[in-house]
Amino acid sequence: MKLEFKKILNLPKTFCFEKENLSFVGSLKKVKNNLVEIDGFIKADVILTCDRCGKEYQEKFDSEVKIFASEGLFSGDLDEIIYEFHEGYIDLSEIVYSEIESLKSDYHYCDECIEKQEICYEV
Ligand SMILES: [Zn+2]
């Protein structure tokens, strides 16, 4: 799903991106000349691999995100992650997929391992 930078205004505009088992809804607005702020919710069914036992399991990913996208290189001062786009368009699907990928790269434990861990804590 691509949106033209030129058409994004200072007033927040809602968007909705849905594909198979994921959705990304929210609003976006221009905050500076070449900078757009996106506030939204990502919901997806993702397959995660347990970092303890290696088992794959499905998890519902439900997360609020605040993302910035810039048209071209962004040279200002901002702590947040900025997605840079170079062809005049913001690609929301690219953002949503990389957000999910970054979630996957965190540590995850399946339910069984979480239970075992809880038992350990009691000792
Ligand atoms: Zn596990």
Side-chain angles (χ1 to χ4, degrees), residues 7 10 13 16 23 28 41 57-58 66 72 74 76 86 88-89 94 107 111:
K7 290 186 179 163
N10 300 61
K13 197 178 172 194
C16 175
S23 76
L28 41 78
F41 283 94
Y57 63 103
Q58 198 180 46
K66 188 190 191 76
F74 181 73
H86 297 275
Y89 290 89
E94 192 183 317
Y107 281 101
D111 288 345

Side-chain angles (χ1 to χ4, degrees), residues 50 52-55 109-110 112-113:
C50 176
R52 179 157 295 174
C53 69
K55 196 175 84 174
Y109 300 113
C110 71
E112 283 168 43
C113 289

